[in-house]
């Protein structure tokens, strides 16, 4: 038989969608699956088989192909497709990267108390925009305003969807069609296309760059001030650091300059923090309280970076300016939702007691976990992996560093204990890929051709997931 005839014969054997559907209807495994999903899976299975037959050439594997056209094999094929279609796309993963505020893995984890409160608020009606005292319409932001002012010392507060929205809203309110003076050393780009010059353009503010990349002086700002100037802006260089021959103007000096020229001063803190990390042996980051104490007009920062709350953009500052910001029609487009507000309020309240905050806010807890605790966890994982008792597996403890992430503390290495995993005959890249495709996915990093799991970001109750994932790799091989 020639190839064409072989193909024709195989195509004839390819069952119809209807035939497979009849079988599927009898298959109890699909009892709970929506019919549309089953039909789509059958269609795609048939379509793919047809393509395989048509693409097959001289060395057409008649027997294998013939086998895959049998009812039982096709049903397995359909089942796999149905399972894939029914699986949720947004999944929990194990973060073994050691990057605490990992932007691609969901940044900060919500604290337990926040989770309880947000589920309570989302499953009931609430006073979201209702003033219980007067029975009239209330403000969506009032539930977090007092606690934010209490912790930071600010006169007024407001929250939006994220910090990018906060910056946009502030610039639009304060500096539309006016010049905004910013240092060339602070024209930040954050991952995910947030760039100060672009946000400025969208807000209608006119960027006025001053100074040089490495050095900007107060007189640079001063000589840029004209009648058209509307704002002096300071941006925290979150994800990089200018080192060497450098000069920056302090926020305090900028505030004094603003006062002399009757110009408002704003700071985009990026990853704002209420606690002084130097107390925990880390690099000093300016705190929100310190910024507010300079007398700055407006400060903005993220809720889900070092603060460890839900995704939000927090705006703090002088009442006169915040009142204007709250009236900007853009606020409606940038507004925060009620579940986020619920989680934010309760997380911010934890900051009334710093010890409690550090213990119960996962981001703070992971950043401040003592080395010996991480080491114990690493040893525990190593012992459990040893129990796999596989001669191909090589597991070692390594002293490496974790990162804060989220564009915060870019220069800081957090000493951590890691596990290095090698499997004879399987490359680090292949291990990384298999772990990533595990259910649930285990995300690690590769250093010097070794697959690394950093125990700072892996809680005790996820250690068994790593063991099981590795066991599967060892059993299956590659
Ligand atoms: C992260 C960051 C932003 C953006 O904040 P999101 O909460 O991600 O929108 C803006 N400015 C700076 C300096 C940042 O670090």
């Amino acid at each position: 038989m020639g190839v064409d005839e072989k193909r024709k014969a195989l195509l004839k054997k390819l069952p119809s969608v209807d035939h497979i559907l009849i079988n599927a209807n009898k298959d109890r495994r699909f009892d709970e699956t929506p019919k549309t999903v089953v039909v789509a899976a059958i269609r795609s299975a048939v379509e793919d088989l047809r393509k395989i037959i048509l693409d097959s050439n001289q060395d057409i594997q008649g027997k294998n192909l013939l086998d895959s056209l049998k009812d039982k094999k096709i049903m397995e094929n359909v089942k796999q497709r149905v399972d894939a279609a029914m699986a949720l796309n947004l999944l929990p993963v194990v973060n073994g990267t050691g990057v605490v505020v990992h932007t691609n893995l969901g940044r900060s984890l919500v604290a337990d108390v926040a989770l309880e409160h947000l589920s309570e608020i989302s499953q009931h009606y609430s006073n979201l925009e209702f003033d219980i005292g007067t029975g009239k319409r209330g403000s969506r932001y009032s539930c977090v305003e007092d606690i934010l002012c209490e912790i930071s010392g600010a006169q007024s507060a407001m929250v939006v969807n994220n910090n990018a929205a906060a910056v946009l809203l502030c610039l639009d309110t304060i500096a539309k069609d006016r010049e905004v003076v910013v240092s060339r050393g602070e024209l930040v780009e954050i991952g995910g296309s947030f760039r100060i010059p672009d946000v400025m353009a969208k807000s209608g503010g006119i960027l006025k760059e001053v100074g040089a990349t490495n050095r900007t002086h107060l007189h640079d700002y001063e000589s840029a001030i004209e009648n058209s100037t509307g704002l002096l802006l300071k941006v925290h260089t979150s994800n990089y650091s200018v080192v060497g021959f450098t000069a920056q103007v302090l926020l305090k000096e900028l505030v004094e300059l603003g006062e002399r020229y009757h110009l408002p001063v704003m700071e985009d803190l990026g990853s704002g923090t209420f606690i002084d990390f130097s107390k925990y042996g880390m690099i000093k980051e300016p705190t929100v309280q310190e910024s507010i104490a300079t007398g700055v007009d407006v400060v903005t920062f993220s809720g889900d970076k070092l603060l460890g709350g839900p995704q939000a953009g927090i705006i703090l500052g002088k009442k006169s300016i915040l009142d204007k910001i709250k009236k900007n029609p853009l606020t409606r487009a940038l507004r925060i939702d009620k579940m986020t507000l619920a989680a934010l309020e309760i997380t911010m309240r934890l900051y009334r007691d710093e010890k409690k905050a550090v213990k119960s806010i996962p981001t703070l807890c992971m950043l401040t976990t003592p080395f010996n605790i991480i080491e114990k966890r690493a040893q525990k994982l190593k012992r459990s992996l040893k129990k796999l008792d596989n001669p191909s597996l090589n597991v070692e403890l390594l002293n490496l560093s974790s990162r804060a992430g989220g564009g915060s503390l870019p220069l800081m290495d957090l000493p951590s204990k890691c596990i290095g995993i090698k499997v004879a005959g399987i490359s680090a890249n292949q291990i990384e890929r298999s772990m990533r495709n595990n259910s649930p996915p285990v995300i690690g990093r590769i250093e010097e051709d070794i697959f690394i799991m950093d125990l700072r970001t892996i809680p005790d109750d996820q250690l068994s997931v790593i063991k099981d994932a590795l066991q599967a790799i060892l059993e299956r091989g590659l």
Side-chain angles (χ1 to χ4, degrees):
M1 239 194 310
V3 178
D4 277 352
E5 284 148 50
K6 272 193 192 166
R7 279 202 197 113
K8 263 191 207 141
L10 283 168
L11 283 176
K12 260 201 190 139
K13 291 234 155 56
L14 183 63
S16 70
V17 170
D18 286 341
H19 171 80
I20 304 170
L21 188 57
I22 289 168
N23 287 340
N25 284 339
K26 285 186 262 173
D27 194 325
R28 304 300 307 270
R29 292 178 299 177
F30 301 129
D31 280 358
E32 302 295 319
T33 315
K35 182 106 178 219
T36 48
V37 175
V38 178
V39 172
I42 295 173
R43 286 228 166 87
S44 80
V46 170
E47 205 39 54
D48 285 355
L49 284 167
R50 189 192 310 281
K51 262 201 211 110
I52 292 171
I53 296 169
L54 291 175
D55 291 348
S56 57
N57 50 23
Q58 209 59 37
D59 41 58
I60 185 164
Q61 285 280 327
K63 190 154 182 319
N64 275 349
L65 259 178
L66 209 57
D67 206 37
S68 64
L69 300 181
K70 294 202 174 116
D71 281 349
K72 201 165 163 228
K73 274 276 155 72
I74 288 192
M75 207 47 72
E76 282 314 310
N77 186 338
V78 169
K79 170 83 173 109
Q80 274 178 15
R81 286 163 202 260
V82 163
D83 287 349
M86 293 301 284
L88 288 173
N89 292 321
L90 190 57
L91 296 170
V93 307
V94 176
N95 175 11
T97 64
V99 180
V100 178
V101 184
H102 197 304
T103 300
N104 302 144
L105 303 183
R107 282 202 187 160
S108 283
L109 312 185
V110 161
D112 288 343
V113 286
L115 182 67
E116 285 160 29
H117 187 49
L118 87 76
S119 80
E120 169 107 333
I121 289 299
S122 55
Q123 292 187 312
H124 297 89
Y125 291 109
S126 63
N127 59 338
L128 181 64
E129 290 187 3
F130 182 75
D131 185 328
I132 291 173
T134 63
K136 300 215 168 86
R137 187 186 176 136
S139 154
R140 169 176 290 253
Y141 315 106
S142 60
C143 68
V144 286
E145 181 152 12
D146 55 354
I147 186 69
L148 286 170
C149 292
E150 179 187 315
I151 306 166
S152 66
Q155 290 174 3
S156 187
M158 140 108 192
V159 282
V160 287
N161 190 33
N162 57 17
N163 187 35
V167 174
L168 178 72
L169 180 61
C170 291
L171 292 176
D172 183 86
T173 310
I174 305 166
K176 197 169 184 62
D177 302 325
R178 302 189 69 82
E179 283 183 0
V180 181
V181 186
V182 192
S183 160
R184 288 204 168 86
E186 298 174 358
L187 296 174
V188 179
E189 171 178 325
I190 326 279
S193 76
F194 176 92
R195 276 183 177 176
I196 287 292
D198 298 344
V199 175
M200 188 80 69
K202 280 281 172 212
S203 72
I206 302 155
L207 179 63
K208 177 91 179 188
E209 302 172 27
V210 296
T213 305
N214 57 332
R215 289 172 74 83
T216 303
H217 307 276
L218 194 63
H219 60 77
D220 292 322
Y221 287 93
E222 186 160 9
S223 46
I225 295 174
E226 298 172 37
N227 283 338
S228 51
T229 306
L231 178 70
L232 307 177
L233 173 65
K234 189 159 177 61
V235 183
H236 189 266
T237 57
S238 315
N239 48 4
Y240 66 98
S241 203
V242 183
V243 294
F245 184 56
T246 63
Q248 285 187 44
V249 174
L250 297 174
L251 182 64
K252 179 118 200 69
E253 301 171 279
L254 218 51
V255 169
E256 280 161 13
L257 185 67
E259 270 162 17
R260 264 197 280 135
Y261 287 86
H262 303 288
L263 281 172
V265 178
M266 165 173 159
E267 180 175 41
D268 171 11
L269 261 177
S271 179
T273 165
F274 286 141
I275 67 171
D276 178 354
F277 280 100
S278 65
K279 276 197 262 175
Y280 301 88
M282 287 178 242
I283 292 175
K284 167 95 188 153
E285 276 278 296
T287 65
V288 173
Q289 296 91 318
E290 287 161 355
S291 289
I292 293 294
T294 62
V296 68
D297 295 270
V298 199
V299 175
T300 73
F301 50 99
S302 298
D304 57 345
K305 289 185 180 170
L306 286 183
L307 217 57
Q311 179 190 305
I314 298 170
I315 307 171
L316 302 177
K318 301 249 171 84
K319 187 171 181 313
S320 53
I321 289 205
L322 268 282
D323 284 347
K324 280 192 209 142
I325 293 173
K326 287 174 189 172
K327 287 201 197 99
N328 188 326
L330 259 184
T331 56
R332 177 58 194 252
L334 308 175
R335 81 181 186 184
I336 188 166
D337 94 303
K338 64 184 173 189
M339 287 187 270
T340 311
L341 265 176
L344 188 64
E345 179 185 5
I346 202 159
T347 308
M348 295 305 101
R349 274 164 191 262
L350 293 170
Y351 277 100
R352 281 176 165 163
D353 177 349
E354 186 174 313
K355 269 206 198 110
K356 210 167 166 183
V358 168
K359 227 173 97 187
S360 48
I361 296 175
T363 294
L364 300 183
C365 183
M366 284 188 266
L367 283 170
T368 57
T369 306
F371 180 81
N372 66 320
I373 303 281
I374 303 175
E375 186 173 39
K376 283 213 180 87
R377 224 182 269 157
Q379 286 161 345
K380 193 169 156 193
L381 178 60
K382 187 179 173 195
R383 277 197 303 276
S384 93
L385 297 183
K386 282 266 172 220
K387 287 205 189 106
L388 290 174
D389 198 24
N390 190 307
S392 310
L393 179 64
N394 182 309
V395 179
E396 55 186 329
L397 292 173
L398 299 166
N399 288 325
L400 298 169
S401 314
S402 324
R403 297 242 159 217
S408 29
L409 304 159
L411 290 189
M412 193 176 60
D413 289 326
L414 300 163
S416 188
K417 204 75 180 179
C418 300
I419 289 268
I421 296 170
K422 282 193 275 192
V423 180
I426 301 181
S427 73
N429 282 321
Q430 286 167 320
I431 298 176
E432 188 275 332
R433 195 179 325 122
S434 293
M435 297 295 270
R436 180 157 37 86
N437 287 304
N438 186 63
S439 171
V442 176
I443 315 296
R445 64 176 198 263
I446 295 173
E447 267 183 43
E448 294 177 11
D449 224 25
I450 302 176
F451 180 71
I452 308 282
M453 292 268 88
D454 187 328
L455 278 297
R456 179 182 297 278
T457 45
I458 309 173
D460 277 316
D461 62 4
Q462 287 188 331
L463 297 183
S464 61
V465 175
I466 297 169
K467 183 184 170 193
D468 295 345
L470 207 55
Q471 185 167 19
I473 294 176
L474 291 166
E475 280 169 9
R476 186 176 29 164
L478 276 164

